[in-house]
């Protein structure tokens, strides 16, 4: 019988790493200890196109954190509303943004973030809308990784790794209880 209950599937589909290519072919030797996901994934995961990546990369790191963290916070808290998750999210955003304010019963209010770094190249509202829409489609893992790839201090990268690890462990425990 194929091993679907493996370590890599914790948090599927929001937090798991990419699918195990060996499992797909029936050749995974790691079985339940495999770090890659053994559950079905879409053919191509949502991702940012080149324009969106360039737009995000052109923003100062603090703005990138504000943008991604607003969406990351909404998705993470839908998955796990524990005090530890809130603390880890606050630690990532602490130096970059004030605590989130509620927009009412619908959830958190997204900040308007597009202040051009170069006044000669203003960012259009259309580009802002497209970027926000694309970011909302990304998985939690992809959002965290996108921040982790940006130049940041070692402390911020550790905080993002801690958040990802915490959410994957929590989702693995919750799945075991179900």
């Amino acid at each position: 019988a194929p091993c679907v209950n493996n370590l890599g599937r914790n948090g599927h589909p929001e937090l798991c790493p990419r699918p195990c290519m060996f499992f797909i072919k029936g050749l995974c030797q790691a079985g339940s200890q495999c770090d890659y996901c053994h559950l079905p994934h879409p053919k191509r995961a949502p991702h940012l196109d080149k324009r969106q990546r360039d737009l995000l990369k052109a923003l100062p790191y603090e703005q990138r954190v504000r943008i991604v963290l607003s969406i990351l916070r909404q998705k993470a808290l839908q998955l796990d509303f524990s005090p530890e998750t809130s603390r880890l999210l606050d630690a990532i955003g602490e130096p970059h943004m004030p605590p989130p304010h509620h927009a009412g019963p619908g959830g958190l209010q997204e900040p308007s973030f597009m202040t051009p770094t170069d006044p000669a190249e203003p960012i259009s509202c259309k580009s802002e809308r497209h970027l926000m829409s694309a970011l909302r489609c990304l998985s939690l893992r992809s959002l965290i990784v996108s921040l982790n790839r940006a130049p940041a201090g070692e402390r911020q990268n550790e905080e993002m790794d801690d958040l990802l690890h915490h959410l994957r462990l929590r989702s693995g425990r919750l799945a075991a209880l179900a």
Side-chain angles (χ1 to χ4, degrees), residues 58 115-123:
T115 53
T117 54
D118 180 1
E121 294 184 38
I123 299 168

Side-chain angles (χ1 to χ4, degrees), residues 61 65 69 72 84-85 87-96 144 147-148 152-167:
Y61 180 74
V65 170
L69 194 59
L72 184 62
E84 180 65 8
T85 299
R87 187 194 68 73
L88 289 166
L89 287 164
D90 290 344
I92 291 170
E94 191 175 81
H96 308 291
I144 293 169
L147 278 180
N148 228 352
E154 193 172 307
R155 186 184 76 104
Q156 284 90 358
N157 286 339
E158 285 177 21
E159 289 166 348
M160 288 179 260
D161 289 342
D162 289 347
L163 175 63
L164 184 58
H165 182 71
H166 165 76
L167 289 171

